[in-house]
Amino acid sequence: MRFLPLLGHSGGSRDAMTCLYRCGNACDHPVPNETDNEYLGDVVSTSMSRRGVMRAGAAGALVLGISGTAAATAVPAAAAPAEVPPGAPYAGKAPVKGRAGKIGFKPIPPNTLDSLVVPNGYDSSVVIRWGDAVVPGAPEFEIDKQTAKKQAMQFGYNNDFVGVLPFEDGDRALLVVNHEYTNENLMFPGFTTLDALSVEQIKTAMAAHGLSVVEIERAGKTGEWQVSRKKRLYFNKRITANETVFRLTGPVVGTAAVKTAADPKGQWVIGTLNNCAGGITPWGTVLSGEENFNQYFVGGDGVAEADKPKLTRYGISTTARYPSDSRKWDRAQERFDLAKHPNEANRFGWIVEVDPFDPESAPRKHTAMGRFKHEGANVIVARSGHVVAYMGDDERFDYLYKFVSDKKLIKGNSPAARKHNLTLLESGTLYVAQLTGDSPAAEIDGTGKLPSDGEFDGTGKWIKLVSGNRSFVPGMTAADVLTWTRQAGDAVKATKMDRPEDVQPSLRTGKIYAAMTNNTNRAVGTNPGVDEANPRANNKHGHIFEITEDKGDHTGESFTWTLPIVCGDPAAADTYFGGYDKTAVSPISCPDNVAFDSAGNLWISTDGNALGTNDGLFATPIEGSERGHLRQFLTVPRGAETCGPFITEDDKSVFVAVQHPGEISGATVEKPASTWPDGDYAKPGVVVSWRLDGGPIGS
């Protein structure tokens, strides 16, 4: 066991090392949205072990849990078994009926331990970690002998989205995981600088991006899951940034903006970048959001002057060939040099769809859903049968979107139904949200004080940007709107939000919930001021945003909204927990991803806890007298972010991705800031937690 070095920490918020590798130091650069849209406040004023696992009780006593999980075993490939692709665990099913959920576990206390902590009565284990075998025949992981070829067969780095798609027997499933970004400091022994990396190391990092598809199986009849021990693992697959071929779909295909020397027809793209959150469709596929793709490109200073504003709006530097601390992937693949290949960046920033039940199929990038820094996409089937996807653009002062399919879902898993449903996201209507508060502007003063009506709430409308090949934005074609969606949102004066990330519909109520992670630029200097949907200046803790579509019609164009949770220290005056007694709730900061269990409870994971303790996973009822009674379910190790989460359909298991453990300035492979999960050096991994008595998670 290694002892941890004494390294500086940022005091709870995201560390500088994470800022560098995850988003290219976005907060150190000007806000990409420099438009002078009237913000919501203006509208109102003018209108009115192999793992470290811990268990903890409410009193704060921490007890070490001991168990482990075996590494995946490499096995030969086999012919495809006859499988019927299942529907997703939640998406597309009828709304949950019955009593609203109630949380039963005792919350764990905030902590700074280098362990994964769960409540008393629960256990937890690592399902898979960076370097574990995925593709049959994968070599054993050796951190000092990694190559791109090896990494392309092993579980990738910095797992984010987690999806579990069960087979019909319920005891086997496909685990699908995003690999958002790499941290070369913590991947390569002897690391000094990004410039000193070899080309092979750059290719290895590229291979560690993308997605992994892994067959898993239940451990007995418990809520624990492990990598399948079958000898035939037909579905296991790695998708990478440097090799996997993606097919473009929708109105942008073949347009000038996506044509390159390697792809003169504008139809195919190599790789996917910075895949953050995602969702599962009713037809059993996975949606993945390409987020901070801007940081991988260089040479923006060499593009045509007319194109520079478009790149700048997406956070790509146009003043320097190599932005500070650039990854310089152009050394491995020239296409990342925009001076030579100016359209390559336009081929990223899309929603990706992967069919894990057809490993031979090419994953797709759906241009009809718009191009921006997608956190992810989650769908619900409207009463009309159309599929509606909700999406957030994870940037300070950017927007909320929804997509409504042209075609209707065909129910069932017949080959004909599935073939049809696989086309649903290739054409439709894209909208952006514009909000109005219902309180006088003077009552929204930036302190977080509730207005006189006792809630931050109001109305909103979905502004149509494009439908099929028809643009509704003056001066922009449909392809323009979809390729430069941010500019289209600017043009129609969409409401600037505080980093809208994961957006998830509740199948119990049909309401939509979005995580607004934070925005420390809100009302600071010349940046936009506060409004009722973003009511705090220097918003470092974030909030939860709730949408109720008018008449329950998810294809409609109007809605009401409220903020059920304004995050932070419950003892602080600027926090709000649905009106619940704040002395009885857990502190929470920087909500990132959201999910639901079958009882309708809202689960929230955090990223960049600004309260000085480790990130975690929280749960709260969102209906009834317990609305806002938030309790902390787990914490992740030191330096890590909580991603996912995913609750299985039977409520017996909750999966989370432990992303970037030990990502603290000064850390290296040789001097780790975390030794989770194996006691040597930090490895991102996916964890599952379950109740020891076999009961449902949370209740």
Side-chain angles (χ1 to χ4, degrees):
M1 179 73 70
R2 293 186 181 181
F3 292 99
L4 302 183
L6 297 176
L7 297 172
H9 196 273
S10 60
S13 59
R14 183 182 288 177
D15 188 86
M17 184 185 284
T18 305
C19 292
L20 167 62
Y21 285 108
R22 185 176 184 187
C23 59
N25 286 323
C27 292
D28 291 340
H29 299 292
V31 174
N33 191 348
E34 297 180 342
T35 60
D36 59 356
N37 293 7
E38 62 180 352
Y39 57 91
L40 191 149
D42 293 330
V43 175
V44 174
S45 64
T46 58
S47 65
M48 207 330 90
S49 131
R50 289 214 28 112
R51 75 178 205 274
V53 176
M54 307 289 282
R55 297 191 294 272
L62 301 176
V63 182
L64 179 65
I66 302 174
S67 66
T69 184
T73 303
V75 296
E83 300 285 1
V84 177
Y90 294 113
K93 291 195 173 183
V96 178
K97 299 183 183 299
R99 295 180 59 187
K102 184 176 182 179
I103 303 299
F105 64 84
K106 293 183 178 180
I108 66 167
N111 64 78
T112 57
L113 297 171
D114 190 35
S115 303
L116 190 123
V117 183
V118 296
N120 282 331
Y122 288 79
D123 203 351
S124 193
S125 67
V126 177
V127 180
I128 192 167
R129 61 179 63 70
W130 171 46
D132 284 352
V134 171
V135 178
E140 183 178 353
F141 178 67
E142 297 177 276
I143 194 169
D144 57 348
K145 297 180 181 179
Q146 273 295 84
T147 66
K149 182 178 180 180
K150 292 178 180 178
Q151 180 64 83
M153 302 176 74
Q154 299 164 339
F155 195 69
Y157 202 75
N158 272 341
N159 30 230
D160 196 300
F161 168 75
V162 175
V164 180
L165 294 86
F167 290 104
E168 288 189 331
D169 60 15
D171 291 330
R172 294 184 304 126
L174 294 182
L175 174 70
V176 184
V177 180
N178 285 354
H179 300 293
E180 185 175 3
Y181 71 99
T182 52
N183 183 328
E184 285 77 355
N185 286 63
L186 305 182
M187 291 178 66
F188 300 113
F191 175 89
T192 54
T193 66
L194 288 168
D195 284 341
L197 291 174
S198 68
V199 171
E200 183 62 30
Q201 287 175 317
I202 294 174
K203 291 180 178 179
T204 300
M206 295 170 77
H209 283 67
L211 296 92
S212 291
V213 180
V214 184
E215 186 172 335
I216 58 175
E217 60 189 18
R218 191 186 299 274
K221 296 298 180 182
T222 71
E224 183 178 13
W225 291 77
Q226 60 195 12
V227 171
S228 176
R229 297 171 182 172
K230 288 171 50 181
K231 292 184 177 180
R232 296 182 177 183
L233 296 172
Y234 172 75
F235 298 101
N236 282 25
K237 182 178 182 178
R238 275 301 322 279
I239 293 170
T240 67
N242 57 335
E243 290 186 345
T244 307
V245 177
F246 287 75
R247 180 167 64 86
L248 289 173
T249 76
V252 178
V253 175
T255 61
V258 293
K259 292 180 179 179
T260 65
D263 178 30
K265 294 184 178 181
Q267 297 177 337
W268 301 90
V269 180
I270 301 296
T272 186
L273 296 173
N274 214 259
N275 299 76
C276 198
I280 295 178
T281 69
W283 49 96
T285 63
V286 167
L287 304 181
S288 174
E290 295 184 314
E291 194 182 25
N292 294 301
F293 62 91
N294 57 296
Q295 62 179 301
Y296 301 91
F297 293 94
V298 303
D301 62 328
V303 303
E305 288 298 319
D307 291 335
K308 287 184 177 180
K310 297 174 182 177
L311 293 178
T312 300
R313 184 64 179 88
Y314 281 83
I316 296 174
S317 173
T318 58
T319 60
R321 171 165 175 75
Y322 291 112
S324 60
D325 298 309
S326 170
R327 296 169 182 268
K328 298 183 180 177
W329 276 15
D330 61 309
R331 293 171 54 206
Q333 293 186 354
E334 186 186 87
R335 64 193 174 108
F336 291 99
D337 183 353
L338 297 179
K340 298 178 180 178
H341 303 280
N343 287 341
E344 188 67 21
N346 299 335
R347 294 148 67 84
F348 296 88
W350 305 104
I351 288 294
V352 170
E353 184 173 14
V354 175
D355 185 354
F357 292 99
D358 184 1
E360 301 302 321
S361 64
R364 294 169 293 157
K365 297 189 179 188
H366 291 308
T367 69
M369 301 180 76
R371 175 175 166 268
F372 43 89
K373 291 186 179 181
H374 285 278
E375 171 74 11
N378 284 285
V379 304
I380 189 169
V381 180
R383 288 195 299 259
S384 64
H386 295 94
V387 170
V388 183
Y390 292 87
M391 303 170 285
D393 186 349
D394 183 9
E395 189 89 68
R396 296 164 292 168
F397 304 114
D398 261 295
Y399 310 134
L400 278 170
Y401 298 85
K402 83 171 179 181
F403 170 86
V404 180
S405 66
D406 283 339
K407 302 176 184 178
K408 296 182 180 181
L409 178 81
I410 296 179
K411 296 181 179 179
N413 286 322
S414 69
R418 200 158 193 272
K419 181 179 180 180
H420 167 85
N421 293 337
L422 284 167
T423 69
L424 289 177
L425 303 180
E426 296 184 357
S427 63
T429 303
L430 183 65
Y431 299 86
V432 68
Q434 187 182 79
L435 311 176
T436 303
D438 66 0
S439 298
E443 293 189 4
I444 311 301
D445 60 5
T447 66
K449 179 183 177 181
L450 290 172
S452 57
D453 65 359
E455 283 190 294
F456 296 116
D457 58 357
T459 60
K461 58 183 179 180
W462 293 110
I463 301 176
K464 190 179 297 185
L465 297 177
V466 63
S467 184
N469 288 307
R470 180 185 177 188
S471 169
F472 291 86
V473 181
M476 300 181 76
T477 67
D480 289 341
V481 170
L482 296 172
T483 307
W484 296 290
T485 309
R486 283 183 165 182
Q487 286 91 328
D490 298 342
V492 301
K493 299 188 181 300
T495 299
K496 299 178 179 181
M497 307 297 287
D498 285 354
R499 284 188 60 204
E501 296 212 37
D502 203 13
V503 190
Q504 183 85 235
S506 166
L507 294 195
R508 178 184 179 87
T509 65
K511 295 181 180 181
I512 314 302
Y513 294 82
M516 303 293 154
T517 295
N518 55 39
N519 185 354
T520 54
N521 280 29
R522 174 68 67 176
V524 175
T526 60
N527 290 301
V530 295
D531 55 53
E532 196 161 358
N534 305 277
R536 289 187 296 188
N538 185 25
N539 179 15
K540 60 183 179 180
H541 296 301
H543 51 273
I544 300 296
F545 189 80
E546 178 187 87
I547 291 173
T548 304
E549 298 276 22
D550 286 351
K551 300 180 181 179
D553 181 8
H554 293 93
T555 69
E557 298 183 0
S558 61
F559 57 91
T560 58
W561 61 267
T562 187
L563 306 187
I565 297 176
V566 180
C567 300
D569 184 347
D574 66 346
T575 58
Y576 176 74
F577 292 82
Y580 201 83
D581 178 6
K582 294 203 297 180
T583 66
V585 304
S586 295
I588 182 174
S589 176
C590 302
D592 188 344
N593 301 118
V594 290
F596 289 94
D597 58 29
S598 66
N601 296 313
L602 178 67
W603 293 70
I604 307 167
S605 64
T606 66
D607 167 22
N609 186 348
L611 293 171
T613 55
N614 291 354
D615 277 311
L617 178 64
F618 303 75
T620 179
I622 208 68
E623 302 175 72
S625 61
E626 288 286 294
R627 176 178 166 94
H629 190 181
L630 185 87
R631 305 186 195 191
Q632 184 156 11
F633 178 77
L634 63 73
T635 53
V636 291
R638 191 167 184 252
E641 166 192 348
T642 315
C643 297
F646 188 91
I647 297 94
T648 55
E649 186 178 15
D650 60 10
D651 286 330
K652 287 189 175 182
S653 314
V654 57
F655 288 79
V656 296
V658 178
Q659 191 184 91
H660 59 75
E663 194 166 68
I664 297 173
S665 294
T668 63
V669 173
E670 294 82 3
K671 295 181 179 180
S674 169
T675 59
W676 187 89
D678 298 326
D680 44 13
Y681 48 84
K683 305 181 192 76
V686 175
V687 172
V688 63
S689 182
W690 67 96
R691 269 177 59 165
L692 293 171
D693 64 4
I697 289 285
S699 65

